[in-house]
Amino acid sequence: MGVITLENEFPVAVAPAKLFKAYCLDIDTLMPKILPEHIKSSEIIEGNGGPGTIRKITFTEGKELNYAKQKIEAIDEENLTYSFSLIEADVWKDAVEKVTYEHKFIPTPEGGSICKRTSTYYIKGDSEVNKDQIKDVYGKKTAGLFKAVEAYFLANPDA
């Protein structure tokens, strides 16, 4: 099994604690509200929201993914760190065993955040996965997700 590790940083004009709460704790209610054209629903199907919890995200019709299941690996509200693994999805199912995402939310001098994310792709057997494609496509999608969260909070500062 091969491993591909990527590191990204996403600047967001939202305070780290607020961004952490939205992205890590309130994802099930906020993401379908913020991104209704992409996310149909997000729900916990096993667990209580802590480590070991399984969440299913269902995407709107016509998207690359129909659904994804995530397993929360660790969550630290004090240090604003969060990690989860993508354990099931209808993309790359023949090539990727799982993907683990580790996030750390860091304050910026302007009052916003930098989300530092390490993504580790565990490749099945001799499967081939294009690292540059992952970096380009999924880096842009995640940046877009954080920009949508940012736009929501700038339009709704009391949310």
Side-chain angles (χ1 to χ4, degrees):
M1 173 172 30
V3 175
I4 296 173
T5 300
L6 301 171
E7 299 200 7
N8 298 91
E9 291 188 2
F10 304 100
V12 186
V14 176
K18 193 173 208 175
L19 182 61
F20 178 86
K21 187 174 186 311
Y23 185 75
C24 306
L25 304 178
D26 296 340
I27 186 171
D28 296 324
T29 54
L30 276 180
M31 289 304 153
K33 182 186 223 179
I34 293 172
L35 293 166
E37 67 279 10
H38 297 284
I39 298 174
K40 182 177 180 180
S41 65
S42 179
E43 62 185 325
I44 291 175
I45 59 172
E46 182 180 314
N48 62 3
T53 294
I54 309 267
R55 167 180 289 116
K56 181 179 180 185
I57 299 170
T58 304
F59 297 92
T60 56
E61 288 185 37
K63 298 297 172 196
E64 179 182 354
L65 284 171
N66 292 313
Y67 75 95
K69 287 185 182 176
Q70 302 174 344
K71 178 181 179 186
I72 297 173
E73 302 292 349
I75 189 162
D76 184 340
E77 293 182 54
E78 185 176 323
N79 293 304
L80 303 179
T81 61
Y82 177 71
S83 65
F84 69 88
S85 293
L86 180 65
I87 58 169
E88 186 180 320
D90 56 348
V91 67
W92 293 337
K93 58 185 165 192
D94 296 327
V96 177
E97 179 76 29
K98 72 174 182 175
V99 184
T100 299
Y101 300 96
E102 298 174 11
H103 302 81
K104 178 149 183 71
F105 298 87
I106 299 168
T108 64
E110 302 81 20
S113 307
I114 300 276
C115 175
K116 292 188 174 195
R117 181 170 90 170
T118 301
S119 308
T120 306
Y121 293 75
Y122 297 88
I123 311 303
K124 290 181 181 178
D126 295 334
S127 296
E128 297 281 329
V129 175
N130 184 323
K131 182 177 180 175
D132 292 330
Q133 182 183 21
I134 292 171
K135 192 173 188 176
D136 185 49
V137 173
Y138 290 97
K140 286 180 182 176
K141 287 183 180 188
T142 302
L145 177 136
F146 281 117
K147 287 299 170 193
V149 171
E150 176 182 85
Y152 174 80
F153 282 116
L154 291 175
N156 303 282
D158 296 328

